[in-house]
Amino acid sequence: MGRPLKVAAAQVGAVHRTTSRAEVLERLVKLLQDASTQDVKLLVFPETTFTTFFPRYYITDDEELASYYEYETAETGPVTQTKNVKAFFQRAKELGIDVQIGYGEDTGNGRYNTAVYVSGKTGDVLNKYRKVHLPGSTEPFDLNPNTTNQLEKKYFLPGNYGFQAFRASSLKETCGGSSPIVGQLICNDRRWAEGWRCYGLQGVEILCCGYNTTAYAPQLWGGDQNISREKAYEEAMFHHKLVVQAHAYTNSMFCITAARAGNDDDRHPLIPGSMIVDPEGHIVAENKTEEDELVIATIDLDDCKQGKERTFNLGKHRRPEMYGRLAEEGGVKPPPEV
Ligand code: CDT
């Protein structure tokens, strides 16, 4: 192995609306400790990991809504220092593990669906990503508490940092003296080719993606509104794996996906699907349960070379002059009828 690295997805099982921060934190720290015992160097956690996936609820109580965010202001400093969650980051630093973790970010001027990548060596935030593609609607589908809504457009602003790759300098020695190039996505972003390609164009070798993907939400998906729960689950898993494996392959990068899984509130099921995918699109490790679980693999970043130098040698084979529409158009403009 030329540039070996032991990585893992930290899948997190059910977190209910009533589950306390303290309880979640304890579970996350246990995952950190178990990862450390197994010598994991990079651990990826899900989207909005510290709380339940609150955008599924139509929340009218401002105080409850406010409780789902971390507050990062000039006074508090970065999320790693904030009182609710700093114990998590302290432990990651003590154990020397790099982490990516998602959370609701409140800057005082806006709220974002955010993930930070934090060095296990220094405890510094090496990169912050804000979710670009916010799915769902600004108003609830309905007020039935059994309905899984998707109100991210109501509770977050669209991410404004773009798709900026970075070097995980903390992992330089482990990776043969050359720091891994890392990119970040959050949940729905993984379904859009655009972000992946932006990262491919920066030579990204490891894409980290946490998510909360509902296993049953026909109101959100459209199509057969009478779809069975079993079939809906199967379809959600199929689409999750399809996009991750295909985009990892076409951009010649590893991808670590970390699910918030389980059946929240015993009525809002989420898919698992935490996995490590290689640059040829193969799954090299995946979850076995729907609970808190580590999915671990030792990968070799040199395996990205095959695709990057041959089939998907972007500099050699791409024709950007043919792709103008991609940057110019938002929606669909069909050709005129003749
Ligand atoms: N959290 C999140 O982004 N969930 C969305 C649900 C859309 S279902 C097609 C996801 O893409 O998984």
Side-chain angles (χ1 to χ4, degrees), residues 17-30:
R17 196 168 180 173
T18 50
T19 307
S20 71
R21 273 299 163 89
E23 192 185 313
V24 177
L25 237 61
E26 199 175 306
R27 285 164 57 185
L28 302 183
V29 167
K30 176 161 187 335

Side-chain angles (χ1 to χ4, degrees), residues 17-76:
R17 196 168 180 173
T18 50
T19 307
S20 71
R21 273 299 163 89
E23 192 185 313
V24 177
L25 237 61
E26 199 175 306
R27 285 164 57 185
L28 302 183
V29 167
K30 176 161 187 335
L31 286 163
L32 275 173
Q33 277 164 196
D34 291 350
S36 168
T37 309
Q38 297 182 69
D39 205 27
V40 167
K41 303 287 185 231
L42 164 58
L43 186 53
V44 177
F45 287 84
E47 173 188 35
T48 59
T49 314
F50 298 120
T51 66
T52 194
F53 185 63
F54 63 93
R56 71 162 71 89
Y57 310 113
Y58 179 55
I59 301 167
T60 49
D61 176 351
D62 286 347
E63 204 175 317
E64 184 193 353
L65 183 59
S67 74
Y68 294 115
Y69 298 87
E70 309 311 320
Y71 291 82
E72 286 183 84
T73 61
E75 288 94 65
T76 63

